[in-house]
Amino acid sequence: MIEFHAVTKTVGPRTILDTLNLSIGPGEFLSITGPSGAGKSTLINMLIGRDKPSSGEVMIDGIHLEKMDAQKRQLFRRNIGIIFQDYKLLPNKTVYENVAYALEVCGEGESLIESRVPKILDLVGLLGKQHQYPREISGGEQQRTAIARALVHNPHLLIADEPTGNLDKDTAKDIIDLLLQINKAGTTIVLTTHNDTILQYVKKRIIVLDHGQITMDKQMAS
């Protein structure tokens, strides 16, 4: 599904990614870890079409992201769910409106929005919070809202970039359990984290990046 072929990224004299090769299969759960500056953010930005390699190929389902122009990359990103550490919710919209907005900006009709949004909110356990604003709910519930927003397009790929970084231990576990549930239903998930406890809890494939290269690629025992 996802292929990085000899991907190198340089910025001035710095090499951010160094001849990186990586394959991620459909329905896989991949955790990416490594020290700050290892290249994790650059790898993620290439996956979502925000950055291009200096050389090499980045493909999703056989589509070359590095060959797309800016407009095509923007449209392609709608097929990928993205979750960030800081939620990025709209403060003046309710939980329901934040999730619905992701469909509205793509021109989806009201009937589809009214059908799909409650189902996604139910999936993430927020149906009872749909009329509340981000400031009125907990950090874990805000992250669940962000997950619902990422899922509302029914993406095949969900990228979770440090999704538990602002959460306490128990809430972080709840969010990871939700991601595992989503993965079990068939969605490919790419998770970045510095948290070793989370990596041990997930018990899926882990790659370690360091100085732009994969220094470990290991399948954890379930």
Side-chain angles (χ1 to χ4, degrees):
M1 178 185 180
I2 300 169
E3 298 283 345
F4 284 70
H5 288 157
V7 170
T8 294
K9 178 66 178 181
T10 57
V11 179
R14 290 184 62 214
T15 299
I16 312 299
L17 295 177
D18 187 3
T19 323
L20 185 140
N21 292 290
L22 174 65
S23 296
I24 307 170
E28 192 167 2
F29 192 123
L30 175 68
S31 299
I32 303 174
T33 191
S36 296
K40 298 187 299 297
S41 295
T42 300
L43 188 154
I44 292 299
N45 283 334
M46 287 185 185
L47 266 182
I48 62 179
R50 282 186 177 167
D51 203 352
K52 287 186 175 182
S54 302
S55 62
E57 301 173 319
V58 181
M59 293 181 288
I60 298 181
D61 293 337
I63 299 171
H64 284 261
L65 272 65
E66 81 279 359
K67 294 180 180 179
M68 290 183 177
D69 60 29
Q71 184 177 10
K72 286 182 179 178
R73 288 201 308 273
Q74 185 175 5
L75 290 172
F76 186 78
R77 275 201 296 271
R78 294 178 180 177
N79 299 313
I80 301 172
I82 309 168
I83 310 161
F84 300 99
Q85 179 175 336
D86 57 354
Y87 320 136
K88 299 188 184 298
L89 300 178
L90 299 169
N92 296 321
K93 290 185 179 293
T94 64
V95 167
Y96 180 97
E97 290 166 343
N98 263 280
V99 178
Y101 186 69
L103 294 172
E104 291 168 2
V105 296
C106 296
E108 299 291 358
E110 193 63 32
S111 61
L112 183 144
I113 292 171
E114 290 178 353
S115 169
R116 189 174 295 175
V117 174
K119 292 177 183 176
I120 295 296
L121 290 177
D122 188 34
L123 173 67
V124 301
L126 286 179
L127 201 53
K129 304 276 186 176
Q130 61 180 328
H131 299 304
Q132 294 185 262
Y133 291 89
R135 64 181 178 274
E136 298 173 331
I137 59 178
S138 70
E141 289 166 341
Q142 290 181 54
Q143 190 60 290
R144 285 174 178 269
T145 304
I147 292 172
R149 181 184 56 194
L151 290 175
V152 78
H153 286 290
N154 295 325
H156 296 300
L157 171 63
L158 182 62
I159 297 171
D161 192 10
E162 296 282 357
T164 63
N166 290 332
L167 304 174
D168 62 62
K169 180 181 176 181
D170 289 340
T171 306
K173 177 180 175 296
D174 289 343
I175 293 299
I176 295 301
D177 282 338
L178 177 57
L179 292 178
L180 288 167
Q181 176 187 343
I182 292 164
N183 174 247
K184 193 174 182 179
T187 302
T188 303
I189 292 183
V190 176
L191 166 75
T192 69
T193 182
H194 287 99
N195 191 320
D196 287 338
T197 301
I198 286 175
L199 294 171
Q200 296 297 323
Y201 182 74
V202 170
K203 293 183 180 178
K204 299 287 186 178
R205 181 185 175 195
I206 299 172
I207 67 168
V208 178
L209 275 180
D210 195 6
H211 293 91
Q213 295 184 322
I214 295 174
T215 59
M216 187 185 85
D217 187 339
K218 179 180 180 181
Q219 182 70 42
M220 299 288 286
S222 299

